[in-house]
Amino acid sequence: ADVNRGISDETVYETPLRQLADDALRRRMEAEMADARRDMEEQIRQFQQEVDRRMEQQAARVHAIIEQRVQQQIDAILVSEMEKVRVMVEEKVQGRVRAVVQREVQATVCEMQIRLAMLTKENERLRAAFLAHLDRADAEAWLPSFS
């Protein structure tokens, strides 16, 4: 650079070399920027994949928790409804059993009343026969003593 200093030709050598150096530096900087850009895009893609994976895991956990709570509520409702059905069935069965037992008791009472009435008539007939026999026996007992 000192050789051509002060001469009008000085810029002849300096400008193309400087332009060559500037172009090389620009290409190198552009390549570095492209590499940095690709690296950053890859990091962003990996970060997005990690975020997506974690969101899917969180969604799966929330879904599992919701399913568990829903199942617990369904189980509680089922237990409650089963208890209601059990009570209703017990009441119907007890009502039917009560009706059957009442009919049987009424039939037995009627049957016993009929038997009692028959026994009462039989007792009255036997008493009348006994009294008639007793009256004849008394009469016969007195008759021989009068003769």
Side-chain angles (χ1 to χ4, degrees):
D2 286 337
V3 174
N4 291 336
R5 188 171 291 189
I7 301 173
S8 62
D9 296 353
E10 175 182 352
T11 58
V12 170
Y13 296 108
E14 195 174 289
T15 304
L17 283 175
R18 184 168 283 174
Q19 191 173 11
L20 181 65
D22 286 346
D23 287 344
L25 179 63
R26 186 175 54 253
R27 282 191 300 275
R28 193 184 67 191
M29 293 291 280
E30 286 175 353
E32 286 179 6
M33 288 292 286
D35 287 344
R37 186 172 167 210
R38 278 191 299 277
D39 287 346
M40 187 171 292
E41 287 173 350
E42 178 62 23
Q43 288 177 354
I44 289 171
R45 188 185 60 73
Q46 289 176 355
F47 178 77
Q48 187 62 43
Q49 286 176 341
E50 180 65 18
V51 167
D52 290 346
R53 185 185 66 79
R54 288 184 182 183
M55 291 296 288
E56 287 175 10
Q57 286 178 342
Q58 184 66 22
R61 278 194 297 269
V62 167
H63 185 72
I65 290 169
I66 289 171
E67 280 186 8
Q68 182 183 15
R69 287 182 182 167
V70 166
Q71 188 61 45
Q72 288 172 346
Q73 289 174 349
I74 288 172
D75 290 345
I77 291 169
L78 179 63
V79 166
S80 172
E81 291 302 313
M82 289 297 289
E83 181 62 20
K84 288 177 185 177
V85 168
R86 185 190 64 77
V87 167
M88 183 179 67
V89 168
E90 278 184 9
E91 288 173 354
K92 283 186 177 184
V93 167
Q94 286 176 355
R96 289 179 181 172
V97 167
R98 190 175 307 117
V100 168
V101 168
Q102 284 177 347
R103 281 193 303 267
E104 288 180 8
V105 166
Q106 286 175 347
T108 303
V109 166
C110 287
E111 202 176 290
M112 294 300 284
Q113 286 174 339
I114 291 170
R115 284 186 186 171
L116 185 59
M118 288 174 32
L119 288 174
T120 301
K121 286 180 183 178
E122 180 68 21
N123 191 23
E124 288 175 5
R125 189 184 60 78
L126 289 174
R127 180 181 297 174
F130 178 72
L131 288 176
H133 180 68
L134 189 60
D135 285 343
R136 273 186 298 205
D138 279 346
E140 288 176 6
W142 288 100
L143 285 177
S145 62
F146 289 115
S147 12

